[in-house]
Amino acid sequence: GSYAPRPGDLICTGRGSAARLRYDDLPTGRFPAHCDIVVEVAADLLTVIGGNVDDAVTMRHLPLIDDQRLAVLRVLYSGPSV
């Protein structure tokens, strides 16, 4: 999509059986996923905070492409698949 994330948005990625889900295909029930909260948007960098990754709350910096869309979508959760 062409949506540019803003502070307060959730950035999510599926895990395990849900790893390849796209937004338009999200189920209405439960599915394995991890979400981070957008806390800052710069010209080329998105800053997010998430919890429950390796028993910690972490801050991550994700690259943005020229129109402030996420450049990489599959790096938010680096732990084992569930």
Side-chain angles (χ1 to χ4, degrees), residues 2-4 6-7 16 18 26 30 35-37 51 56 61 72-73 78 82:
S2 60
Y3 180 80
R6 298 179 293 181
L26 290 176
R30 302 182 101 191
C35 296
D36 290 339
I37 300 171
H61 304 283
V72 179
L73 297 176
S78 58
V82 176

Side-chain angles (χ1 to χ4, degrees), residues 15 33-36 49-58 60 77 79-80:
R15 297 185 292 176
H34 177 80
C35 296
D36 290 339
I49 293 178
N52 201 24
V53 175
D54 296 326
D55 295 321
V57 173
T58 58
R60 300 174 192 259
Y77 180 75

Side-chain angles (χ1 to χ4, degrees), residues 27-32:
T28 57
R30 302 182 101 191
F31 62 96

Side-chain angles (χ1 to χ4, degrees), residues 37-60:
I37 300 171
V38 176
V39 294
E40 184 177 1
V41 180
D44 62 348
L45 200 64
L46 185 70
T47 302
V48 298
I49 293 178
N52 201 24
V53 175
D54 296 326
D55 295 321
V57 173
T58 58
M59 178 181 288
R60 300 174 192 259

